[in-house]
Amino acid sequence: MELFGVIAATLTTISFLPQTLKTIKDKDTSGISLGMYSIFTTGVFCWTIYGFIIGDLPIIIANVVTFIFALTILVMKLKYK
Amino acid sequence: MELFGVIAATLTTISFLPQTLKTIKDKDTSGISLGMYSIFTTGVFCWTIYGFIIGDLPIIIANVVTFIFALTILVMKLKYK
């Protein structure tokens, strides 16, 4: 993966950290879309499987990390509806 | 790109549509993280450039679409603070 790809993957992966921390802290999920996090979490799970299929470690790592963040936000959304 | 990759890319791309529509409709951005959408929009922009560098059309299309959604949410967050 080229440097620009590594920067891109790092940014899109770590971007979910501030949202996860904010949601855990504020428990404010009214503006968060259940549809988005249901579809997104499923999509990131598919990316992880795809990473295993093609044997690409950066894809696996980036998506496992994003999956943990997205699933946490999804669970908070379901918990604090 | 294999079928699983296409499914994964489609899901993670379209997932931002319900969030975008919800935010436009409700103007409720208190639970949305400015940090997330600042970093994420930048990251998706980098993914688009990376797509051009390696000449991968699916990466370009998926990220241009996601960029439009993410930028819309970011603008709404800045507008309805």
Side-chain angles (χ1 to χ4, degrees):
Chain A
M1 202 186 269
E2 280 184 40
L3 180 65
F4 231 98
V6 173
I7 294 169
T10 304
L11 288 175
T12 51
T13 300
I14 62 158
S15 68
F16 284 86
L17 178 60
Q19 180 68 68
T20 306
L21 295 177
K22 179 180 169 60
T23 306
I24 289 172
K25 182 171 157 280
D26 298 345
K27 296 173 179 55
D28 176 6
T29 62
S30 64
I32 286 177
S33 163
L34 179 61
M36 167 177 165
Y37 281 93
S38 304
I39 301 167
F40 186 77
T41 307
T42 308
V44 171
F45 184 75
C46 291
W47 271 120
T48 308
I49 292 174
Y50 178 66
F52 277 107
I53 290 171
I54 66 166
D56 187 303
L57 196 61
I59 290 180
I60 295 169
I61 293 170
N63 283 286
V64 165
V65 173
T66 308
F67 180 78
I68 293 166
F69 291 149
L71 187 65
T72 304
I73 297 165
L74 178 60
V75 168
M76 302 290 283
K77 173 66 185 175
L78 291 167
K79 197 174 170 185
Y80 300 106
K81 259 212 250 206
Chain B
M1 204 187 269
E2 282 184 39
L3 179 66
F4 230 98
V6 173
I7 294 169
T10 305
L11 289 175
T12 50
T13 300
I14 62 158
S15 69
F16 284 87
L17 179 61
Q19 180 68 68
T20 305
L21 294 177
K22 179 180 168 57
T23 306
I24 288 171
K25 181 172 157 279
D26 297 345
K27 297 175 178 55
D28 177 4
T29 63
S30 64
I32 286 176
S33 163
L34 178 61
M36 169 179 162
Y37 281 93
S38 304
I39 301 168
F40 186 77
T41 307
T42 308
V44 172
F45 184 75
C46 290
W47 270 121
T48 307
I49 292 175
Y50 178 68
F52 278 107
I53 290 172
I54 65 166
D56 186 302
L57 196 61
I59 290 180
I60 294 168
I61 293 169
N63 283 286
V64 165
V65 173
T66 308
F67 181 77
I68 293 165
F69 291 148
L71 187 64
T72 304
I73 298 165
L74 179 60
V75 168
M76 302 291 281
K77 173 65 185 176
L78 291 167
K79 199 174 168 187
Y80 300 106
K81 262 213 254 209

